[in-house]
Amino acid sequence: MELGERCHLVSHVAIEGPTKIGADNAFFPFCSIGMAPQDLTYAGEPTRLEIGEHNTIREFVTINRGTVKGGGLTRVGNHILVMAYTHIAHDCVIGDHVILANAATLGGHVTVEEWATVGALCPVHHFIRIGAHSFIGGGTTITRDVLPFSKTSAARDVQAYGLNAVGLERRGFSKERIRKIHHAYKVLLASKLNTSQALEKLKAEADRGEDVEMLIRFIEQSERGVIK
């Protein structure tokens, strides 16, 4: 196990290896870091967990190492807040500046892209992708990929309710960038076009901007379908 400089282990912290941890991380009581994956196929192989820098890992969090079939590595980025009772399963990849609220539960092989927020008590199905700058409301069960920039929350049916405009403003997105993304969401969610037709319409428009290009790529690469 490798532990970087200025890490703070408050008390009763369990860390097992192989685990590599960067500098300036805080681990609160009773968190369990780098333990063997909860996978019936795991047979004691020396898989790994890597954690970046400037992360806060709160009470009773569990972060498991990877599995051979998943590439052997669970990776947690930088500047991440992992709230109490959260579970990060084997082979997950967590991007920078992510917030995982209390008791968020990530199945194996989940990818959470940068600046995303997963609300409290959210179970996330294995192999899911959660797009950058998205916000998932508490208690939402996630079984398909979550669109970048979206607000997604459970009512009776899970659906994307529109643009995460407040979050984008807080992160310094210009009004013009937000306008272009908002237009793309109107085409995707508010028009009578199906997803394929909406994508064709967006791809035919000039000056879409890199954010809309990212949104289009995300949808086209989705294997489980996206929440709309």
Side-chain angles (χ1 to χ4, degrees), residues 28 34 47-49 61 79 133 154 156 170 191 194-195 198 205:
F28 282 71
T47 56
R48 295 181 56 78
L49 166 66
V61 165
H79 300 281
H133 303 282
R156 292 185 181 274
R170 288 174 178 170
S191 70
N194 63 33
T195 301
E205 294 178 352

Side-chain angles (χ1 to χ4, degrees), residues 75 88-95 98 100 106-114 116 118 124-132 134 136 142 144-146 218:
R75 187 167 67 248
I88 300 174
H90 57 86
D91 307 297
C92 287
V93 178
I94 313 299
V98 162
L100 301 174
L106 309 185
H109 314 275
V110 168
T111 297
V112 183
E113 296 180 353
E114 66 272 12
V118 181
V124 180
H125 195 280
H126 54 281
F127 292 102
I128 288 296
R129 293 184 306 149
I130 296 174
S134 61
I136 301 173
I142 300 298
R144 290 180 290 170
D145 294 348
V146 175
F218 185 94

Side-chain angles (χ1 to χ4, degrees), residues 215-227:
L215 183 62
I216 291 170
R217 287 196 305 272
F218 185 94
I219 296 171
E220 289 181 331
Q221 293 170 2
S222 178
E223 295 179 0
R224 295 181 59 87
V226 299
I227 297 169

Side-chain angles (χ1 to χ4, degrees), residues 25-203:
N25 293 291
F27 296 91
F28 282 71
F30 304 105
C31 59
S32 179
I33 308 301
M35 300 297 173
Q38 300 177 91
D39 187 298
L40 292 174
T41 67
Y42 180 70
E45 300 90 349
T47 56
R48 295 181 56 78
L49 166 66
E50 293 182 1
I51 297 176
E53 301 181 346
H54 300 283
N55 300 299
T56 299
I57 314 295
R58 295 302 305 243
E59 297 83 353
F60 296 98
V61 165
T62 54
I63 307 177
N64 293 159
R65 302 195 306 272
T67 61
V68 172
K69 66 183 180 182
L73 175 66
T74 301
R75 187 167 67 248
V76 176
N78 308 293
H79 300 281
I80 295 163
L81 172 58
V82 187
M83 297 187 192
Y85 292 95
T86 289
H87 176 62
I88 300 174
H90 57 86
D91 307 297
C92 287
V93 178
I94 313 299
D96 295 344
H97 300 284
V98 162
I99 296 174
L100 301 174
N102 297 292
T105 304
L106 309 185
H109 314 275
V110 168
T111 297
V112 183
E113 296 180 353
E114 66 272 12
W115 291 104
T117 296
V118 181
L121 300 167
C122 288
V124 180
H125 195 280
H126 54 281
F127 292 102
I128 288 296
R129 293 184 306 149
I130 296 174
H133 303 282
S134 61
F135 182 94
I136 301 173
T140 302
T141 298
I142 300 298
T143 59
R144 290 180 290 170
D145 294 348
V146 175
L147 290 166
F149 313 113
S150 70
K151 294 180 295 183
T152 299
S153 184
R156 292 185 181 274
D157 298 315
V158 180
Q159 66 183 86
Y161 283 89
L163 187 66
N164 184 19
V166 173
L168 298 181
E169 289 173 2
R170 288 174 178 170
R171 286 162 205 146
F173 278 56
S174 68
K175 290 183 178 179
E176 179 61 15
R177 287 181 72 182
I178 293 174
R179 183 194 66 78
K180 290 180 180 180
I181 300 169
H182 184 262
H183 168 72
Y185 265 81
K186 286 179 66 176
V187 174
L188 281 168
L189 303 181
S191 70
K192 296 182 179 180
L193 302 176
N194 63 33
T195 301
S196 296
Q197 292 168 334
L199 287 178
E200 289 304 314
K201 177 176 174 57
L202 290 174
K203 290 162 72 173

